[in-house]
């Protein structure tokens, strides 16, 4: 039995070594929770800004309106700034939580695998950002939220092969919400909050519970 246990222990060590070398396992579930909270706070602020704007624009009235580029309105500028600040805060929090977990797991936060994750998630998001930029220029507001969800979901699925496989399901959830939102453009902010807020919090909590709540047993 003792020799058999030694073989099992060796197999566990080999499996752990292979996972460490091929997957980015330092991604913290708490970073997902933090990103979700930031998204919900941002969605609430955006809702207030839209409802209280001088133009009296309400979410239920935002539709697929087209116009030629003529500069951003005050409301558009505030919402763009809010989105940028939300991304920066969420990214910083995600970095802090992931850095902390990286030190615990002993996996470099910017190793070869981490770069693969970043590249694979960034390419769809950058392309989505360019599409959204042009949509804002032409006033196509009704489809901004679903496009955000769709491209972000594609990025998560694309990067999931280099990190926790559960991220793939988070990506599927984002894509499903984005697809549904395509037929409900007047409720984009609610879908945005559900996808970037609620799904991130649920995913982050489940990943924290599974991988970080207590030391993993050998």
């Amino acid at each position: 039995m003792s020799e058999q246990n030694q073989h099992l222990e060796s197999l566990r060590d080999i499996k752990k070594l292979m996972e460490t070398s091929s997957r980015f396992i330092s991604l913290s579930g708490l970073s997902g929770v933090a990103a979700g909270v930031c998204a919900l706070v941002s969605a609430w602020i955006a809702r207030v800004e839209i409802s209280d704007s001088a133009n009296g624009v309400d979410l239920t009235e935002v539709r697929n309106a087209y116009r030629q580029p003529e500069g951003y309105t005050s409301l558009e500028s505030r919402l763009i700034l809010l989105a940028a600040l939300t991304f920066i805060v969420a990214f910083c929090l995600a970095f802090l939580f992931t850095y902390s977990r990286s030190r615990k797991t002993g996996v470099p936060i910017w190793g070869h695998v981490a770069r693969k994750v970043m590249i694979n998630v960034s390419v769809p998001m950058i392309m989505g950002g360019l599409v959204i930029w042009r949509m804002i220029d032409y006033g196509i507001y009704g489809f901004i939220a679903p496009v955000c969800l769709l491209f972000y979901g594609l990025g998560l699925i694309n990067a999931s092969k280099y990190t926790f496989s559960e991220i793939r399901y988070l990506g599927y959830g984002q894509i499903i919400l984005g697809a549904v939102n395509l037929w409900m453009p007047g409720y984009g902010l609610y879908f945005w909050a559900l996808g970037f807020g609620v799904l991130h919090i649920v995913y982050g909590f489940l990943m924290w519970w599974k991988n970080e709540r207590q030391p993993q047993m050998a």
Side-chain angles (χ1 to χ4, degrees):
M1 289 296 295
S2 177
E3 184 176 354
Q4 183 179 4
N5 289 337
Q6 289 180 356
H7 289 319
L8 290 174
E9 184 70 24
S10 298
L11 289 174
R12 293 194 189 98
D13 291 340
I14 293 173
K15 180 181 178 182
K16 183 177 180 181
L17 180 61
M18 292 178 64
E19 290 179 345
T20 301
S21 61
S22 63
R23 290 182 179 272
F24 183 60
I25 61 174
S26 294
L27 190 63
S28 174
L30 294 178
S31 64
V33 175
V37 171
C38 289
L40 290 179
V41 173
S42 176
W44 177 78
I45 296 175
R47 181 67 176 86
V48 172
E49 287 285 342
I50 293 173
S51 296
D52 295 344
S53 65
N55 295 327
V57 179
D58 195 10
L59 287 178
T60 58
E61 299 174 354
V62 177
R63 289 298 184 265
N64 186 22
Y66 293 83
R67 63 174 171 80
Q68 292 298 318
E70 52 188 30
Y72 298 139
T73 66
S74 176
L75 176 61
E76 290 171 341
S77 299
R78 293 199 302 272
L79 292 179
I80 292 172
L81 178 60
L82 175 62
L85 290 176
T86 302
F87 175 80
I88 292 172
V89 173
F91 180 83
C92 290
L93 291 175
F95 176 82
L96 290 176
F97 285 121
T98 301
Y99 177 75
S100 176
R101 178 161 171 74
S102 175
R103 297 191 64 179
K104 293 178 181 179
T105 59
V107 178
I109 195 171
W110 192 239
H112 176 66
V113 181
R115 288 194 290 271
K116 285 185 176 181
V117 173
M118 183 62 68
I119 292 172
N120 278 268
V121 76
S122 295
V123 171
M125 290 182 64
I126 290 173
M127 296 309 300
L130 292 176
V131 173
I132 292 169
W133 184 2
R134 295 303 291 160
M135 290 172 67
I136 293 174
D137 283 342
Y138 283 90
I140 312 175
Y141 303 114
F143 293 114
I144 290 178
V147 167
C148 285
L149 292 167
L150 289 170
F151 277 94
Y152 180 58
L154 290 173
L156 292 178
I157 294 173
N158 201 36
S160 63
K161 55 183 174 288
Y162 297 113
T163 183
F164 295 113
S165 59
E166 288 83 357
I167 286 184
R168 182 181 302 112
Y169 301 107
L170 177 62
Y172 290 148
Q174 304 289 350
I175 289 177
I176 291 172
L177 287 175
V180 174
N181 192 195
L182 287 173
W183 275 264
M184 303 177 65
Y187 301 90
L189 189 55
Y190 297 110
F191 279 90
W192 195 92
L194 183 60
F196 289 102
V198 176
L199 284 189
H200 265 137
I201 292 174
V202 172
Y203 160 80
F205 177 78
L206 291 177
M207 292 303 297
W208 173 83
W209 185 271
K210 178 181 178 181
N211 300 305
E212 303 171 57
R213 179 172 58 97
Q214 58 186 8
Q216 299 297 304
M217 301 300 293

